[in-house]
Amino acid sequence: MSLAIKNITFGYSPKQTVLEDISFEVEDNEFISLAGPNGTGKTTLLKCINRILKPQTGRIIFNGKDITGWEQQDIAKIIAYVPQYSQALRSMTVINAVMMGRMPHVQGSYSVKDREFVYSVLQKMDIEKFAFRDIRQLSGGERQKIAIARALAQQPKVIILDEPTGNLDLKNQLHILELIACLCKTEKLAVIMSLHDLNLAAMFSDKILMLKDTKIFAFGSPDCVITRENIVSIYGVTTCVTMEDGYKHVRLLK
Ligand code: ADP
């Protein structure tokens, strides 16, 4: 499986270009993190890939097939999107929230197979004990797992996550990223996520894509991309970058 993002250019208005000529590819079992300062266009890029936003130019190619013009319902069978953490949720049971992920596959009402599949996702994520709880009663980490379960219920080939560790404590940050990395390998998923924490990005990503001034500034393995020079160019801060326990480690300097 491969998803190629080709020459994406996007602006919210003709005067403001947010993304310019962005191209890269992701394959199954591959975990790509997007990095860059606030406002560089990470969320915008994720939404362009998922076609929530329609780029002015560029194409999305899935397994050699141009899916740029496809209906959202058909895109959703290939790409699932987990948006940034939201406080404002309406009252709903966990099972119904996850069941909504089946919508792209359903004509009319949910079948027994849909229900069985959703229950198997809850089991895989170890959240079946929450099945009949209201999602508003769950903690941030639990809610994030529900959002990921809903995405898995879509049976996607590519999962896109916008800051999945935002609002989570250290233990849950680690837990959620371990879970996503594990799903990436066991479910043969391609993962594209925005992630602010460069240390976590270095630990979990196969590749990191750094955005700066509407363009790709660097793209490659964490070892190549996470350097003192790149970080000062992108964020304008001085850091000490070392290799510890086999991963690049970034320490901010005052
Ligand atoms: P990031 O995810 O890297 O923080 P965003 O993709 O959210 O960046 O935003 C990129 C730029 O686009 C920012 O300048 C932001 O103000 C602008 N922007 C984001 N959403 C909208 C919108 N709905 N309308 C107009 N401008 C937007």
Side-chain angles (χ1 to χ4, degrees):
M1 191 289 298
S2 76
L3 187 79
I5 287 85
K6 284 196 184 283
N7 313 105
I8 294 284
T9 293
F10 178 85
Y12 288 95
S13 70
K15 282 190 192 147
Q16 183 211 19
T17 302
V18 176
L19 301 168
E20 216 176 331
D21 202 21
I22 304 289
S23 297
F24 68 99
E25 271 189 47
V26 61
E27 294 179 352
D28 45 358
N29 296 319
E30 198 170 38
F31 188 129
I32 295 182
S33 294
L34 305 185
N38 293 122
T40 29
K42 299 180 295 297
T43 298
T44 304
L45 177 56
L46 294 178
K47 287 181 177 171
C48 284
I49 296 170
N50 196 30
R51 309 285 300 154
I52 295 170
L53 292 172
K54 308 274 183 278
Q56 277 81 31
T57 60
R59 292 177 303 145
I60 308 292
I61 311 289
F62 172 71
N63 284 345
K65 206 183 292 174
D66 191 340
I67 62 168
T68 320
W70 282 21
E71 296 292 327
Q72 196 62 43
Q73 167 110 353
D74 296 319
I75 299 263
K77 289 176 189 158
I78 297 171
I79 307 173
Y81 175 62
V82 180
Q84 269 176 33
Y85 180 82
S86 154
Q87 291 284 356
L89 294 172
R90 64 190 176 91
S91 175
M92 190 185 293
T93 60
V94 165
I95 189 127
N96 283 343
V98 177
M99 194 65 95
M100 285 173 72
R102 292 303 297 160
M103 272 184 185
H105 299 276
V106 168
Q107 273 152 1
S109 53
Y110 298 117
S111 67
V112 173
K113 275 196 169 159
D114 288 316
R115 289 175 202 284
E116 282 172 357
F117 185 77
V118 164
Y119 196 72
S120 74
V121 170
L122 296 184
Q123 281 179 317
K124 196 178 293 170
M125 304 274 297
D126 198 21
I127 50 174
E128 71 270 32
K129 57 182 172 292
F130 298 132
F132 298 102
R133 286 263 293 276
D134 192 309
I135 48 174
R136 291 187 305 185
Q137 295 168 357
L138 302 177
S139 71
E142 289 160 356
R143 279 189 197 183
Q144 193 55 276
K145 279 176 112 175
I146 307 307
I148 295 167
R150 178 178 154 159
L152 286 183
Q154 278 176 236
Q155 286 179 284
K157 307 287 182 221
V158 182
I159 185 162
I160 289 178
L161 305 103
D162 198 351
E163 276 297 331
T165 54
N167 277 300
L168 300 184
D169 64 32
L170 280 178
K171 186 177 171 190
N172 271 308
Q173 287 179 27
L174 193 62
H175 179 61
I176 288 294
L177 289 175
E178 278 173 345
L179 178 70
I180 295 164
C182 174
L183 291 168
C184 175
K185 306 302 172 202
T186 57
E187 305 291 306
K188 291 191 183 303
L189 281 169
V191 172
I192 309 173
M193 70 162 66
S194 61
L195 194 57
H196 273 300
D197 189 318
L198 292 177
N199 288 314
L200 289 174
M203 274 173 85
F204 287 98
S205 315
D206 297 306
K207 290 181 186 160
I208 297 178
L209 186 152
M210 281 182 169
L211 285 175
K212 186 191 177 193
D213 296 338
T214 73
K215 297 208 171 75
I216 295 180
F217 178 81
F219 182 47
S221 70
D223 286 2
C224 296
V225 168
I226 299 198
T227 63
R228 193 172 177 277
E229 294 74 23
N230 281 351
I231 294 170
V232 79
S233 297
I234 292 242
Y235 298 96
V237 294
T238 313
T239 53
C240 173
V241 177
T242 52
M243 196 68 145
E244 286 172 37
D245 301 327
Y247 303 111
K248 280 285 180 87
H249 184 82
V250 180
R251 187 162 58 85
L252 270 173
L253 300 177
K254 276 210 275 188

